[in-house]
Amino acid sequence: MGRYVIRRLLQMIPVFFGATLLIFLMVNVMGDPIAGLCGDRQCDPATAAQLRKEFGLDKPVWQQYLTYMGNVFTGDFGTAFNGQKVTELMGEAFPVTIRLTIVAIVFEIVIGITLGVITGLRRGRPVDTSVLLLTLVVISVPTFVTGLILQLLLGVEWGVIKPAVSPEAPVNELLIPGLVLASVSLAYVTRLTRTSIAENARSDYVRTAKAKGLPRGRVISRHLLRNSLIPVVTFIGTDIGALMGGAIVTERIFNIHGVGYQLYQGILRQNTQTVVGFVTVLVIVFLLANLLVDLLYAVLDPRIRYA
Amino acid sequence: MRGATHARWAACAVALALAATACGGGSDSGGGADGIVSSSWGDPQNPLEPANTNEVQGGKVLDMLFRGLKQYDPKTGEAKDMLAEKIDTTDSTNFTVTVKDGWTFSNGEKVTAKSFVDAWNYGANLKNNQKNAYFFGYIEGYEQVHPEQGQPTAETLSGLKVVDDKTFTVKLSQKFSTWPDTLGYAAFSPLPSAFFDDHAAWLSKPVGNGPYMVDSYAKGSKMSMRKWDGYPGSDKAQNGGVDLNVYTDNNTAYTDLTAGNLDLVDDVPASQLKNVQADLGDRYINTPAGIIQAIAFPFYDKAWNTPGAAKVRTGLSMAINREQITDTIFQKTRTPAKDWTSPVLGADGGFSETLCGDACTYNPTEAKKLITEGGGIPGGRLKLSYNADSGSHKEWVDAVCNSINNVLGKDTACVGNPVGTFADFRNQIGQHKMPGPFRAGWQMDYPLIQNFLQPLYYTKASSNDGLWSNPEFDKLVDEANAESDTKKAVETFQKAEEVVRDQMAAIPLWYQNGSAGYSERVSNVSLNPFSVPVYNEIKVN
C-alpha cells in the first residue's frame, strides 16, 4: 500500500509540469497583455517597456517558465496586474470556492446517494420513474438557466435569499449556489447509484445476507451499498476538481468571489501569473482528489487493497 | 410521485432555513445625512494611484477621495477652481498657480504647493510605471524624466518650481492656452507625504483630500468610504458614506438592485434595457457622456491612403444607418453622432449638431456612388475588427456591416473580424497590423474639444492608432492651442475638425450614454459627463 502511494505521488510530478507548461504556453500565445492595460489608447512605449520588464515579459517564454517555476517552489506566485500578490488572491478565493465545493459535494452525497438507493431498490415503480425523469430534466437544463431562475424566484420574487452572495460568503448564503452547482452531478450520482444498487441487489452475497436473517437496514448499508459505491466514489472524486475549476458560471451568477471569478478575470486581462498560479493549484487539487479516490477503493473493497 | 414530493419538501426546508438566517434585506439601516449608499463596482485594473488609474472603476474612487486644482461641474462639465485660488499666465506657456488656504488631507497634513509638485513629479517619472504619465507630457522637462527609450536622466520635471507654501510655477514646452482646464483630471491630484513614506500602506488604505475617506478596503471585493467631517470644500457629502461592492457580473448587480439589496447600479446591462423602464420607472438615468465610438482606418496600409480613399470613407459613413442601429440594438442608450466630439461639451465648448452634416446622414444612393467613384473598397472586402470579449461589439459591428452590404447590394462586402481579447486587439492595433478598419472608442479625459481631436488625429499623437497625418489639421491645432481667447480657440479647433470631416479620418458612429438605476432608498442621483455617479450629492431617504 505504501509503495503504491509513493508510486502514485511520483507519477504526479510529470503531470504537474506538463499541465503547467501547457497553460503557460496557452496564455502566452494570446499576445502581449500589457497592450490591454491602458484602455482604449496606446500605452506609451517607455512605460509599456518598463512594465514588461517588471513582469518579466521581455524574456523568451522558456526562460519565463523556468523563472516562474523556480519562484513557485519558493512560494512566490508572482504579482497580478493590479499590484496584488497572486498568493493573496488565492488566499481570498480558495476558501470561498472550497466552501462552495463542500456544500455541493455534501448535496451530491446526501441527496444523490439517498435518491439512488431509494430508486434502485424500487426499480420500475412510480418513484423510480419520476426520479429518473427529474434527473433527466436536471441534466438537460444548463446550469446557468437553473441558477438564474432560482436567483429570480428565491431572490427577487419571494425574497427568501439574497441574489448576490456577500464577499465573506458564509455557508448559509452558499446553500442555493451550492445546490445549483451540484445539480447536474447530483443527477448523475443518483443514476449511477441506482444502476449499481439495482445490479447488486440481485447478487448472491445479498441473497446470502438476507438468508442469514440479517436486518434489512444492515444488508443495505453494509453489504449492498458498500459494494455499489465504487463507481459513485470515482465520479464524486473526479468531480471535486471539476467543481472547483468549473464553478465559474455559478460564481458569476451569484457574485461569488472565488476561483472561477479570479480565473475569468485573469484570462480576460491575460494575466499569466494569476491564470498559471490558480491552474497550478487546481491541478494539484485534481491529482490529490484522484489519489484519494484510489485509496478509497481500497477501503471499500479489500481485494483492491492487496492487489 | 413520492420522489418528487420529497424533493419539493427538501427545497422548501432549505428555503425556510435561509429565511431564518440570511434574510436581512437592504444594506446598513439608518437614513438621512448618515445613511450609507451601497453601489455596484468593478475590480479596478490597476493599483489605485491618481496617475495610474485610467479606467472608470478606479476613477470613481479617486473622484470621491481627491480634489484637485480644478473640478469639473457635474452638470455642465465646466472646469471650475477647486483648490486653485488663481492660475495666471501671460504667454500661455508660463503659469503661476496659487493654492487656496485651509485645505488638508484627511490625515491632517496640509495641502501645499509641494503636495502638487511632488505628486506630479512622481506621476511623470518613468521609474514609477504610472500609466497616465503622458498627462505631464506638456510640462517642460518631461523628456528627461520620461524618455521614449532608456533610463530617465532627471528625477523631477524642470518646468515645475515651488515658490512658497501656496505658490508654484509651471513652464510648458509648448503654448497651450486651455491647459489649466485639464487640471481637473484625477492624475493631477495632490498627494500627502504618507504616499511617499509608506507606499504599500497607502495603497492598502488610500488617504486623500476629498469629501470621503476610506474606512476599509478589501481588495477585489469591497471598499467602504465614509464622509469626512473635516472636509473644507463646498461640495460636502450629503450622505454618511458609500459602500462600493465588486460584482462579478453587472447582471447580478442589477438583480440585486431589483431585489432591494443595492442602492445604485451605474452600468445597466444591455440585456436588461428592455425591462428597465418597467422595473425602475423614473429611477433609471440615461444621459450623454463624453464617450464617442468610431471606426478608425489603417492609414499605414497604402490601399487606404490613396487620394480616392477619402471618398470611399465618406461613402461608407453615409452607408451606415445610425438611427436604426442605436434604436434597435442599443435601445437609445447611444445617440447618432453629428460630429467628432461629444454633446457634453455644449455648443460653447465646441460640440456641433451640424458639423458632420450630410457625411453622417444615411443616404444609400449617394453612398454607393461615392464608394464606386473612389475606386471601391480596398481589397474588395471590408474587414471590421473588434474585440469580442466585452460589451456588445459583435451586435453592432454585424449591424453596421449589414447596413453597408445592403447599400452595396453585396452580401460579402463587409464582414466583422472578431479578436479574442481586448489585450490582443490593442496589441494588433499597437503593432499596426490591422487588416482593415477597426472599432475605436474614445472616452474623454477632460471636457475640452482639444481632447477629442489632438490625441486622436494629430500626427504621431498618443492615440492616433491609424497613423493619420494631415499638415493642415496639425497647423490648425497648433494655432488653436496658442490662442488665448477660449472662444476663438474653440472655433479654430472646429476648423481643424472640418479637415477631419473632409478627409473622413475616422467615421463617427454614436455618442455613448451613461446609464444607471437606483433604489427607492436614495434620491438626487445623477451622472457627471464622465458617466460616473455624483456620489457626494446622493441623499438617503
Side-chain angles (χ1 to χ4, degrees):
Chain A
M1 192 70 187
R3 243 190 175 168
Y4 174 68
V5 173
I6 289 171
R7 204 166 62 215
R8 285 298 306 265
L9 285 173
L10 286 177
Q11 276 171 3
M12 282 163 68
I13 295 172
V15 178
F16 173 77
F17 280 105
T20 45
L21 180 63
L22 268 181
I23 291 294
F24 206 89
L25 291 176
M26 282 198 268
V27 179
N28 265 286
V29 159
M30 295 199 293
D32 179 13
I34 300 296
L37 283 184
C38 296
D40 264 324
R41 76 170 84 228
Q42 189 73 26
C43 275
D44 87 85
T47 310
Q50 181 93 355
L51 284 170
R52 239 173 249 131
K53 203 169 152 196
E54 193 179 299
F55 290 109
L57 295 166
D58 53 342
K59 302 206 177 69
V61 180
W62 62 269
Q63 210 173 328
Q64 285 183 41
Y65 179 72
L66 286 185
T67 328
Y68 182 82
M69 286 323 268
N71 287 338
V72 164
F73 283 107
T74 60
D76 176 12
F77 280 85
T79 314
F81 289 143
N82 68 355
Q84 266 181 292
K85 287 259 167 230
V86 175
T87 40
E88 204 178 297
L89 290 176
M90 288 179 183
E92 288 160 16
F94 271 101
V96 174
T97 298
I98 289 173
R99 234 173 295 153
L100 182 65
T101 313
I102 291 175
V103 171
I105 296 276
V106 167
F107 272 122
E108 277 181 30
I109 293 175
V110 174
I111 304 182
I113 296 186
T114 314
L115 283 180
V117 171
I118 293 172
T119 51
L121 291 175
R122 291 185 174 73
R123 245 174 5 124
R125 309 254 193 92
V127 187
D128 182 33
T129 324
S130 47
V131 170
L132 270 186
L133 265 175
L134 202 76
T135 54
L136 197 67
V137 171
V138 171
I139 291 171
S140 52
V141 176
T143 320
F144 71 89
V145 177
T146 333
L148 284 173
I149 289 177
L150 277 182
Q151 183 186 42
L152 275 180
L153 284 181
L154 296 174
V156 181
E157 292 297 318
W158 302 337
V160 182
I161 58 162
K162 283 189 188 180
V165 172
S166 55
E168 299 80 30
V171 170
N172 59 349
E173 289 184 21
L174 291 177
L175 288 180
I176 294 295
L179 187 64
V180 170
L181 179 61
S183 59
V184 173
S185 305
L186 197 155
Y188 281 121
V189 169
T190 307
R191 292 184 147 223
L192 271 175
T193 317
R194 173 189 173 272
T195 320
S196 195
I197 290 266
E199 223 169 74
N200 288 334
R202 284 173 304 190
S203 62
D204 296 342
Y205 67 86
V206 171
R207 204 173 42 207
T208 313
K210 274 188 194 154
K212 273 199 295 187
L214 284 182
R216 189 176 148 80
R218 197 172 161 78
V219 174
I220 294 175
S221 64
R222 296 292 295 181
H223 295 261
L224 180 54
L225 194 55
R226 189 167 162 171
N227 280 294
S228 308
L229 276 185
I230 288 186
V232 180
V233 165
T234 316
F235 180 79
I236 293 179
T238 44
D239 210 33
I240 293 176
L243 286 180
M244 286 189 83
I248 179 160
V249 175
T250 320
E251 289 191 355
R252 254 181 94 88
I253 294 175
F254 291 100
N255 191 39
I256 300 167
H257 298 256
V259 171
Y261 169 65
Q262 292 295 351
L263 267 176
Y264 178 76
Q265 288 271 51
I267 290 171
L268 219 56
R269 292 176 182 175
Q270 293 194 12
N271 206 328
T272 324
Q273 317 269 335
T274 322
V275 178
V276 182
F278 273 83
V279 173
T280 305
V281 176
L282 282 179
V283 167
I284 295 174
V285 170
F286 210 91
L287 291 172
L288 287 179
N290 265 313
L291 181 65
L292 195 72
V293 168
D294 288 352
L295 296 181
L296 266 180
Y297 282 173
V299 177
L300 287 170
D301 188 343
R303 281 172 302 177
I304 296 175
R305 195 180 309 168
Y306 304 112
Chain B
M1 291 300 283
R2 229 185 314 157
T5 331
H6 277 306
R8 195 164 348 122
W9 272 109
C12 288
V14 169
L16 270 176
L18 290 170
T21 51
C23 259
S27 47
D28 297 25
S29 51
D34 294 326
I36 307 295
V37 181
S38 61
S39 173
S40 71
W41 195 30
D43 194 20
Q45 195 175 11
N46 303 307
L48 278 176
E49 306 166 273
N52 205 11
T53 298
N54 55 2
E55 37 77 58
V56 180
Q57 303 305 339
K60 69 172 85 157
V61 175
L62 297 181
D63 209 43
M64 287 184 258
L65 290 183
F66 282 98
R67 285 295 177 263
L69 291 166
K70 294 264 185 177
Q71 173 80 3
Y72 299 118
D73 186 287
K75 285 199 181 61
T76 61
E78 187 195 343
K80 289 179 173 162
D81 284 344
M82 196 71 198
L83 265 75
E85 197 165 284
K86 55 183 195 285
I87 301 175
D88 291 327
T89 182
T90 48
D91 56 1
S92 298
T93 310
N94 288 289
F95 294 84
T96 308
V97 182
T98 316
V99 184
K100 271 182 197 163
D101 252 341
W103 281 78
T104 58
F105 292 99
S106 59
N107 62 3
E109 191 187 327
K110 273 186 81 174
V111 183
T112 63
K114 194 170 174 295
S115 318
F116 284 97
V117 172
D118 286 351
W120 295 6
N121 277 326
Y122 180 88
N125 197 326
L126 177 60
K127 282 182 185 159
N128 300 321
N129 292 342
Q130 304 286 294
K131 292 177 194 76
N132 282 342
Y134 63 93
F135 272 90
F136 307 99
Y138 296 104
I139 300 172
E140 199 175 74
Y142 181 73
E143 286 299 308
Q144 280 75 49
V145 297
H146 199 116
E148 270 187 46
Q149 275 171 350
Q151 288 303 305
T153 53
E155 286 289 307
T156 53
L157 290 158
S158 59
L160 287 180
K161 292 224 161 53
V162 179
V163 178
D164 56 46
D165 250 15
K166 282 177 62 185
T167 328
F168 67 101
T169 58
V170 184
K171 186 168 188 234
L172 303 185
S173 48
Q174 63 174 92
K175 281 179 188 283
F176 188 179
S177 59
T178 47
W179 179 76
D181 287 350
T182 68
L183 297 177
Y185 192 74
F188 294 103
S189 302
L191 285 169
S193 52
F195 177 87
F196 305 99
D197 296 342
D198 190 347
H199 193 222
W202 192 91
L203 280 181
S204 60
K205 197 176 177 184
V207 174
N209 65 331
Y212 293 95
M213 49 201 278
V214 178
D215 186 49
S216 67
Y217 180 21
K219 274 185 189 164
S221 54
K222 186 174 183 176
M223 183 179 239
S224 293
M225 273 173 283
R226 294 296 171 260
K227 179 183 180 175
W228 174 33
D229 289 323
Y231 178 67
S234 54
D235 54 343
K236 284 185 171 43
Q238 309 282 309
N239 46 53
V242 178
D243 280 351
L244 296 175
N245 302 312
V246 173
Y247 279 86
T248 49
D249 186 353
N250 58 0
N251 276 297
T252 313
Y254 185 82
T255 312
D256 230 6
L257 175 74
T258 50
N261 294 323
L262 187 70
D263 294 327
L264 176 64
V265 165
D266 63 352
D267 177 21
V268 177
S271 54
Q272 300 287 359
L273 288 173
K274 284 187 207 110
N275 319 327
V276 74
Q277 283 294 344
D279 287 346
L280 299 175
D282 55 5
R283 287 180 284 114
Y284 166 61
I285 307 172
N286 179 19
T287 49
I291 306 170
I292 184 169
Q293 287 283 346
I295 296 175
F297 294 93
F299 290 98
Y300 41 81
D301 180 350
K302 281 200 184 77
W304 282 104
N305 216 355
T306 62
K311 267 190 179 171
V312 178
R313 294 193 291 269
T314 311
L316 288 172
S317 170
M318 293 167 100
I320 299 167
N321 194 340
R322 295 174 176 76
E323 296 280 344
Q324 197 187 38
I325 295 171
T326 50
D327 275 9
T328 52
I329 290 180
F330 293 116
Q331 311 278 336
K332 293 189 196 291
T333 56
R334 307 282 192 277
T335 314
K338 304 269 184 352
D339 71 348
W340 282 259
T341 66
S342 160
V344 299
L345 295 181
D348 291 340
F351 169 68
S352 164
E353 286 261 6
T354 52
L355 196 131
C356 189
D358 286 343
C360 291
T361 315
Y362 182 58
N363 185 345
T365 39
E366 183 69 14
K368 195 171 180 183
K369 200 181 119 209
L370 281 174
I371 294 173
T372 327
E373 278 178 18
I377 294 169
R381 176 185 266 195
L382 192 77
K383 272 178 118 183
L384 187 50
S385 301
Y386 61 97
N387 56 307
D389 58 347
S390 64
S392 49
H393 297 314
K394 182 183 164 34
E395 281 86 349
W396 72 254
V397 167
D398 286 349
V400 163
C401 271
N402 240 330
S403 195
I404 294 172
N405 290 342
N406 284 342
V407 165
L408 294 177
K410 204 171 132 200
D411 268 354
T412 51
C414 173
V415 289
N417 175 35
V419 179
T421 61
F422 180 68
D424 196 19
F425 179 66
R426 284 303 320 172
N427 207 12
Q428 291 188 24
I429 291 177
Q431 295 179 344
H432 306 305
K433 277 186 181 160
M434 276 292 159
F438 51 94
R439 162 190 102 74
W442 181 253
Q443 168 145 29
M444 66 176 185
D445 302 314
Y446 29 80
L448 288 181
I449 184 171
Q450 181 266 351
N451 192 239
F452 282 93
L453 298 175
Q454 191 169 358
L456 290 163
Y457 308 111
Y458 197 83
T459 303
K460 288 188 179 165
S462 57
S463 289
N464 188 347
D465 291 327
L467 299 186
W468 188 67
S469 177
N470 184 298
E472 200 191 342
F473 175 85
D474 292 357
K475 196 183 103 219
L476 285 165
V477 167
D478 289 341
E479 263 175 44
N481 276 329
E483 181 59 67
S484 54
D485 178 14
T486 313
K487 195 163 167 264
K488 274 190 193 148
V490 168
E491 278 169 15
T492 318
F493 272 120
Q494 281 184 321
K495 270 190 204 146
E497 195 181 341
E498 284 168 11
V499 178
V500 172
R501 174 196 61 198
D502 295 337
Q503 292 296 315
M504 198 52 80
I507 298 177
L509 293 171
W510 34 75
Y511 313 116
Q512 190 163 324
N513 290 5
S515 65
Y518 54 96
S519 73
E520 280 162 346
R521 245 186 105 236
V522 295
S523 58
N524 203 26
V525 183
S526 60
L527 295 176
N528 69 15
F530 302 90
S531 80
V532 170
V534 189
Y535 285 103
N536 57 297
E537 287 182 0
I538 298 176
K539 291 193 173 107
V540 181
N541 302 329

